[in-house]
Amino acid sequence: MALIDLHNISKHYSAQKILSEINFHVDEGERIVIIGKNGSGKSTLMKIVNGTLEHDAGERITKNDLEIRMLDQRPNFKDGHTVRQAVEAGLDELTAAKERYNELSLLLADNFENKQLLDEHEKLSRYLEHHNAWNLDDKIERIIQHFDLKQYEDKPIDLLSGGEQRRVALASLLLQKPDILLLDEPTNHLDVYMVEFLEELILKEKFTLVFISHDRYFIDRIATKSIEVEDCALREYSGGYSDYLTQKAEWIRTLQKQHDNLLGVLKRENEWYARGVRARLKRNEGRKERLMSIREDSKNNPAKIKQMSVELQREAKHFNRDKSINKQKMLFEVEDLSLTLGNKVLLKNFTTRILQKDVIAIVGPNGSGKSTLLRALLGRLEPTSGKIKQGDFKIGYFDQHREMLNDNLNLMETFCPQGGDRVSVRGKDMHVYGYLKNFLFPREFLEKKIGVLSGGEKNRIALALLFTKNVDILILDEPTNDLDIPTINILEEQLTNFPGAVIIVSHDRYFVDKIAKKLFIFKQDKHIEESYQEYSEYLELEKELKELDEMQASASVQKPKSIVVEKQKTLKITFKEKIALEKLPLEIEELETQIEEKNKCLADPKCYEDIGVTALAKELQDLEEIYEQKVEELLEIQEKEELLNSL
């Protein structure tokens, strides 16, 4: 029997139908994601599952004594509670059960044939096992640490921000581990490291989960089933986001041509996923296997850990070669920039250039200084030291507070402040409704005031308005917050087609991977690392390097001096290799220039008409093969040098 079963459920608000005779069930161990446009009925379905919203028709059947808990968008706490007290709220039953279990264990030591005591002991054991409550104090401490709440644990809960309070509420629910956990956008206000911890906790402790999320990597890793809410009905797909894309595209192929546009979006999304994500996941799995192998024999072979570490660092270096085109127009020139807020140092000695075609994601933990850096670039915050030189250009800015919107204006007045019903979008004259329907707004919204819209609807309006501005660079602070997946797809398409520079701050790994061509990564030492790899790839490498550091630190076997001497002889850098270390970087730089020139020629018919496309492509291929050989040779010598230094 299912834990909960909704049979022929219908729900409407006034004359608007939300759900019509839908069927939905949750089995133990399932992790179900609810997908759909904002306003389609996702939250309504969640509240009916929770039992906090009455349905108009149908039947809701639940297993006896079913414990359901839901993460509210605005959680309530007891007055006067500290953060730690709020995290521990709701654990009284578990604490009492643990105390009674220990008491029964002592009683049974002297009276082990008492059936009543044995039955109670067994029942409590199953209860504690289900909630994984054997080491409750350790779990509490671990969750407080990973959700960055340790610094606030003795602080009154009502002094925390809304995002911090949601982290407290989520921590408490995870500790309670109800029969069914309901989460509405659980990754909001979490940085990528907190999301990774949440993913691992949910999988390790086998939660039964129903959730709503726009974080597509989170969905793909967590969901066992996807339920799409569309046109008052539910459609079921097996697996996570990648499986949903494949199955949805197949379903749409069977429908009429009216769905061609949606099919195009799904096809592009699916192709991107298959091309980049699956290939990277396969590569990461291979690295994981090597890590597990090294973990097994690390005690006997500490040098192997170092070798693997060098290999991973070499992978990172491959991505971090400077790929910028110097001839592009310079927008920002940042020199030795340092930023401090109050007594907190956020950034030290950052130097970079931002060019006209750059698409940059600024990433890092919560509170590291990402939004502060944006404010400095916008001229709204004076640097503590250093300079930001700015060229002559126009900026379009989207912030989390939607400052560009006026709640007293309707949509027509917002987009056509001078009157009329037309709007210019990058030189193309469009009717306001024709433009806004691309952002999923129906015609009846045109006369609605901004102030009556939901947070997600306001975000859509702010983004739609931003793309009507004639600007050279877009700066966006957490643009995917409160957006559904269909709207994020629209945003991604708009950003991909934008001809200028883009700078985004985001924790959405999928969004960053798909859009950004360059990363500014805030590090723990208050410096920024620049990288050209995908963000999820960077995070995977970072995690693996950390594991290797921990293995190396715990490796207890010391190498005898004779073995070290022998290794040094074996790894000695030859005279030929020393010469190569000097020459190869210059040769590689020259090859990069030649490859760039060949690529430019391939894009220009006037350039390749004499030699021919085929011949030019062959020349390019030969150059790239030589380039890879030179890079490989250099990296092997550098690896040998690093291993020698480590002995």
Side-chain angles (χ1 to χ4, degrees):
M1 176 187 170
L3 295 181
I4 187 164
D5 202 346
L6 304 184
H7 184 63
N8 286 338
I9 294 288
S10 295
K11 181 66 183 177
H12 69 276
Y13 296 109
S14 300
Q16 184 182 3
K17 279 187 179 181
I18 303 297
L19 300 171
S20 179
E21 298 184 347
I22 61 100
N23 295 301
F24 178 83
H25 69 275
V26 183
D27 290 331
E28 187 173 356
E30 282 192 310
R31 299 184 297 273
I32 302 171
V33 62
I34 303 175
I35 296 172
K37 298 175 184 175
N38 284 343
S40 61
K42 301 190 299 294
S43 295
T44 297
L45 175 59
M46 185 88 88
K47 290 172 184 174
I48 292 173
V49 171
N50 192 36
T52 51
L53 181 67
E54 287 294 323
H55 46 282
D56 301 322
E59 192 174 11
R60 177 180 180 270
I61 305 168
T62 64
K63 183 182 174 183
N64 289 339
D65 301 321
L66 186 70
E67 186 183 22
I68 305 177
R69 296 283 186 272
M70 182 170 176
L71 177 65
D72 294 322
Q73 290 288 352
R74 295 179 181 176
N76 293 315
F77 302 98
K78 286 186 179 179
D79 291 340
H81 263 192
T82 64
V83 167
R84 190 173 189 95
Q85 288 171 329
V87 168
E88 293 175 352
L91 300 179
D92 293 346
E93 282 186 41
L94 287 174
T95 303
K98 183 75 182 299
E99 290 173 354
R100 177 58 179 164
Y101 177 86
N102 292 334
E103 181 184 331
L104 287 170
S105 298
L106 292 173
L107 291 172
L108 284 167
D110 298 323
N111 195 8
F112 60 88
E113 293 182 351
N114 187 312
K115 190 174 186 309
Q116 185 177 350
L117 292 180
L118 281 169
D119 288 346
E120 186 183 357
H121 189 266
E122 177 63 24
K123 184 178 178 181
L124 284 172
S125 176
R126 288 197 303 270
Y127 177 75
L128 292 168
E129 183 68 34
H130 171 74
H131 290 85
N132 196 16
W134 298 110
N135 298 305
L136 204 51
D137 290 340
D138 291 343
K139 282 182 67 178
I140 291 169
E141 190 63 29
R142 193 158 58 96
I143 282 182
I144 285 176
Q145 291 280 3
H146 279 281
F147 280 170
D148 196 25
L149 298 171
K150 187 66 179 176
Q151 58 186 314
Y152 309 122
E153 65 177 334
D154 297 321
K155 191 174 181 179
I157 188 72
D158 55 1
L159 296 182
L160 268 60
S161 69
E164 289 163 346
Q165 288 187 5
R166 267 178 60 87
R167 295 211 303 270
V168 171
L170 177 58
S172 181
L173 285 177
L174 292 168
L175 288 165
Q176 293 172 44
K177 199 189 177 189
D179 296 321
I180 300 178
L181 179 59
L182 307 177
L183 300 177
D184 190 351
E185 295 291 0
T187 62
N188 276 2
H189 310 291
L190 303 184
D191 64 32
V192 291
Y193 303 102
M194 296 175 191
V195 172
E196 185 179 70
F197 169 73
L198 176 61
E199 290 170 348
E200 291 175 355
L201 184 65
I202 288 171
L203 294 173
K204 180 182 177 183
E205 300 208 359
K206 297 181 173 62
F207 276 81
T208 300
L209 182 68
V210 181
F211 67 103
I212 298 168
S213 180
H214 69 259
D215 186 327
R216 289 158 287 182
Y217 280 149
F218 181 77
I219 294 171
D220 217 29
R221 188 170 184 204
I222 295 301
T224 58
K225 184 164 72 178
S226 303
I227 299 293
E228 185 173 34
V229 187
E230 189 174 41
D231 297 330
C232 306
L234 305 186
R235 188 170 290 105
E236 180 178 320
Y237 303 93
S238 61
Y241 184 66
S242 59
D243 296 313
Y244 159 76
L245 285 173
T246 304
Q247 295 168 52
K248 173 89 177 193
E250 188 61 37
W251 176 72
I252 289 177
R253 283 190 190 96
T254 67
L255 302 182
Q256 300 173 355
K257 285 188 176 181
Q258 65 189 31
H259 294 282
D260 283 352
N261 289 338
L262 180 54
L263 182 58
V265 170
L266 281 167
K267 184 180 178 183
R268 286 193 297 276
E269 181 82 341
N270 208 10
E271 286 173 350
W272 181 84
Y273 191 95
R275 182 176 67 251
V277 180
R278 286 179 183 152
R280 186 174 63 255
L281 287 175
K282 187 175 181 181
R283 184 166 67 250
N284 288 346
E285 284 169 7
R287 284 206 306 260
K288 275 291 180 189
E289 287 177 9
R290 283 187 290 158
L291 270 176
M292 294 303 104
S293 172
I294 289 169
R295 192 184 297 278
E296 289 300 314
D297 57 8
S298 62
K299 291 181 181 179
N300 300 319
N301 191 1
K304 195 172 180 181
I305 302 173
K306 179 65 177 178
Q307 184 178 355
M308 180 64 174
S309 179
V310 170
E311 283 181 27
L312 293 183
Q313 288 166 352
R314 188 173 81 178
E315 273 193 63
K317 287 175 186 175
H318 168 74
F319 288 105
N320 293 342
R321 294 194 300 268
D322 186 4
K323 300 180 182 179
S324 60
I325 301 171
N326 294 330
K327 292 179 181 178
Q328 288 182 15
K329 177 183 175 184
M330 191 275 292
L331 302 181
F332 293 101
E333 188 164 4
V334 180
E335 294 181 6
D336 210 26
L337 178 68
S338 295
L339 297 172
T340 303
L341 278 184
N343 295 321
K344 185 177 181 181
V345 176
L346 299 175
L347 180 61
K348 295 178 182 177
N349 311 116
F350 179 47
T351 297
T352 193
R353 291 187 308 153
I354 298 172
L355 307 176
Q356 63 182 3
K357 295 289 185 180
D358 278 343
V359 182
I360 299 168
I362 303 174
V363 296
N366 280 348
S368 56
K370 302 182 297 295
S371 296
T372 304
L373 176 57
L374 288 190
R375 290 173 58 204
L377 292 174
L378 290 164
R380 302 183 179 190
L381 178 72
E382 283 294 319
T384 307
S385 63
K387 296 178 183 177
I388 300 177
K389 297 178 184 176
Q390 183 176 325
D392 182 20
F393 59 90
K394 295 178 182 176
I395 298 174
Y397 176 53
F398 172 90
D399 75 321
Q400 299 176 58
H401 307 292
R402 301 178 286 265
E403 63 181 34
M404 66 177 75
L405 299 181
N406 183 338
D407 283 352
N408 297 317
L409 300 180
N410 63 31
L411 269 62
M412 287 295 295
E413 293 166 335
T414 298
F415 284 85
C416 304
Q418 308 302 321
D421 57 8
R422 313 292 293 181
V423 64
S424 177
V425 182
R426 292 201 287 275
K428 184 178 179 181
D429 184 61
M430 301 180 70
H431 189 277
V432 173
Y433 170 62
Y435 176 60
L436 286 180
K437 71 179 181 181
N438 293 327
F439 287 84
L440 309 179
F441 282 103
R443 187 181 291 275
E444 57 265 26
F445 269 69
L446 294 180
E447 300 303 324
K448 281 193 175 184
K449 299 283 189 184
I450 298 291
V452 304
L453 301 180
S454 69
E457 288 165 344
K458 285 182 178 180
N459 267 9
R460 274 192 281 158
I461 286 297
L463 288 167
L465 186 61
L466 183 66
F467 288 113
T468 66
K469 306 298 182 185
N470 183 23
V471 297
D472 302 290
I473 181 171
L474 294 172
I475 297 180
L476 302 97
D477 193 357
E478 294 289 359
T480 64
N481 276 2
D482 297 317
L483 295 184
D484 52 29
I485 291 175
T487 309
I488 296 175
N489 280 326
I490 293 167
L491 170 61
E492 289 166 350
E493 193 167 351
Q494 291 284 341
L495 289 173
T496 301
N497 295 327
F498 180 70
V502 177
I503 302 176
I504 55 175
V505 166
S506 180
H507 292 302
D508 188 328
R509 298 159 294 175
Y510 193 104
F511 176 70
V512 171
D513 279 355
K514 199 170 178 185
I515 296 301
K517 297 176 183 175
K518 184 177 182 180
L519 303 177
F520 287 171
I521 306 161
F522 272 80
K523 307 293 287 184
Q524 285 187 341
D525 63 1
K526 314 303 180 186
H527 289 87
I528 285 179
E529 176 184 338
E530 295 188 40
S531 174
Y532 288 89
Q533 66 197 116
E534 289 185 344
Y535 189 30
S536 54
E537 174 80 358
Y538 168 83
L539 291 169
E540 190 68 29
L541 282 167
E542 181 186 53
K543 182 180 177 182
E544 289 166 358
L545 284 166
K546 184 179 178 182
E547 287 181 27
L548 286 166
D549 286 343
E550 290 170 355
M551 278 191 269
Q552 194 167 20
S554 63
S556 56
V557 177
Q558 299 295 317
K559 297 180 285 262
K561 187 175 181 181
S562 59
I563 295 176
V564 173
V565 172
E566 193 61 37
K567 285 275 186 184
Q568 287 174 333
K569 288 178 181 177
T570 306
L571 291 175
K572 185 176 179 181
I573 302 294
T574 66
F575 179 74
K576 185 179 177 181
E577 287 170 334
K578 288 180 181 178
I579 297 297
L581 277 174
E582 294 178 5
K583 287 187 174 182
L584 282 172
L586 298 174
E587 292 175 6
I588 288 169
E589 189 175 335
E590 175 60 28
L591 283 166
E592 286 177 341
T593 303
Q594 292 178 38
I595 289 169
E596 185 181 323
E597 289 171 354
K598 297 293 183 188
N599 276 315
K600 284 182 180 177
C601 191
L602 273 174
D604 184 359
K606 292 181 181 178
C607 180
Y608 64 67
E609 62 184 0
D610 291 335
I611 186 173
V613 173
T614 304
L616 185 61
K618 180 66 169 62
E619 288 180 10
L620 177 60
Q621 183 181 353
D622 292 343
L623 281 171
E624 287 176 337
E625 286 177 2
I626 296 169
Y627 174 80
E628 291 299 329
Q629 290 169 5
K630 298 281 187 184
V631 169
E632 189 67 25
E633 183 182 353
L634 177 61
L635 290 173
E636 283 178 2
I637 299 171
Q638 288 175 337
E639 178 183 340
K640 188 175 177 181
E641 189 177 41
E642 288 183 46
L643 280 172
L644 181 61
N645 291 336
S646 71
L647 295 172

